Amino acid sequence: MTTVPARADVPIESTWNHESVFASFDAWREEYQAAMAKLPEIDGYKGTLSQGPERLAEWFDFHQALARRVWTLYMYPVMWQACDGENEEIKGMVGQAQGLAGQFMAGAAFAEPELLALDGDQLQGWLQRDDLKHYQHHIDDLLRKKKHVLSGEVESVLGLLSDPLGRIESVRSALNDMDLKFEPAADSGGAPQPLVQSTINKLLASGERETRKSAWQNYADSYLEFQNTFATTYLASVTRDVALARLRGYESVLQAKLSPNNIPVEVFHNLIDTYKKHIPTWHRYWDVRRRALGYETIHPWDIWAPLTANDPELTYPEAVEMIADGMAPLGEAYVETMRRGCLEERWVDYAINEGKSEGAFSFGTYDSHPFIMMSFDGNLSSMSTLAHELGHSMHSHYTRARQPFVYSNYSMFAAEVASNFNQAMVRAHLFAGQDDRDFQLALIQEAMDNLHRYFFIMPTLARFELEVHTRMENDEPLTPETLNEIMAGFYAEGYGETMSDDPRRTGITWAQFGHLYEAYYTFQYATGISAAHALANAILAGEDDGAVGRYHTFLRAGGSEYAIPALKAAGVDMSTPLAVEETFKVLEGLVDRLEGLI
């Protein structure tokens, strides 16, 4: 690829089915005005929830109906902007959607304090009514968090502030996805290769070492050029998180982020401690990879270098079928729903185009398809990314099909299980069915790339944000250089003596991950991949007839159950480090397999 196509030039079948949400921008604007007109009706419910169960049921119905409209109005322009960041019209719609969401949350903020002011026994009695019974877990959860819920007036103010405070990440996104420009990469002959967010992964996986090196260096250098701006936005988000945690009476941001989903902080520390214990496994992998590539010295830009020159090339439909075959143990209904979403209903925006955001994600609402944004570039890695995001989308599909709106979302802790589970299942299917040496090497490459991201980078980022938040909580100074030094130090530990590092460029890695703006999100990739491997191994072993059924139950649970007990019922106890240990055994097995092949 010598140029990256404009959004208008990519085939419609490679884009998400936005017309299934709104027929046009004008239709979105019409619905936006209608939703805005409903906001004043919220005031009519304030101070009335104590009138009786009928009034409470009316409020729940009204609130959820309006919430469904607001979040669909929000999803539409945000998804569009991720796929086409250069669309000027969409930028204004994103701002409008953020404002609408902020006003809605501010208006509805009275409800929780009002409910908590009710007599507990009286409220429990109301929940026995048929039209309120399904709110039992919702109310129990609210009561559990009672001491962290503030007065109605304060909650309303915080709701209004959610929009301006949320725009911290929007500033980062605008800089990262639209304004940040990169010097083109260059191959060994000096030929330029376009470097944008949607091509960086392809370039880092190039068989041309000079292409990888220049792409990695140029990518990092652009972030270094804007390190002050990135540091300002990131530290603003950290400051916001610390202030909100203190305001709500939490001991730390870590507790503030984990407690709402009833996740003990020990789960976070179990992961970090287990990761640190097994860092030598990564040192061994760097050395085996160096020998596999035939290099005297391995550098960070060699981490994604192909282990074979014969990496299979896949079309998007071929990737879908490969995933469908791997997910066959989950049953025909699962596979056909997934296949239809990919090939007929256009859940996936897989085009590569100018202005497209980095990375990949699954995003939808209760009333839309579970859409996916990614850049599919025709290799096993792209296939695996698609499998990962389809895990999220199928989780959303099953949850929304079974649960009422109040439980239609699930925690991030649960979310990263379904995505990594898909990858583990597909990978096991391919390892068992493809004995060609080049295919095996390419599959090891894909597996190790995935584990590198979720079992090396994400725990490293988690350690980084724990250090940054702890320093902020202790009122210690933080600067762009401080952030770079913290990051470089953790990478140096992870790379050990087997990797020839470039600390200055490695140190800016933190700026490349928007994940950090949702504090303590990153560690859940590592816990997710751990739970996923434990559950997939149980199904693949074929020794437990109920394993598939329990996994389907987990997918359908949504927010009706906390993640830790839901996963325990599915077959894995994440309150202990056992699943993390099991996944390090998977990692060690892959390193053994690679060493055997070379």
Side-chain angles (χ1 to χ4, degrees), residues 425 428 534-545 547:
M425 293 291 290
L535 294 172
N537 289 346
I539 290 174
L540 292 167
E543 298 172 357
D544 184 349
D545 293 339

Side-chain angles (χ1 to χ4, degrees), residues 80-98:
W80 196 303
Q81 185 176 57
C83 299
D84 184 14
E86 296 182 351
N87 189 308
E88 291 297 323
E89 196 171 3
I90 279 293
K91 294 176 186 178
M93 293 165 64
V94 169
Q96 288 179 290
Q98 289 172 329

Side-chain angles (χ1 to χ4, degrees), residues 436-455:
D436 176 77
R437 182 178 184 275
D438 283 324
F439 192 96
Q440 289 275 320
L441 285 170
L443 194 55
I444 291 171
Q445 172 82 50
E446 178 278 317
M448 291 307 298
D449 284 351
N450 190 61
L451 283 160
H452 170 249
R453 181 174 177 85
Y454 298 127
F455 229 48

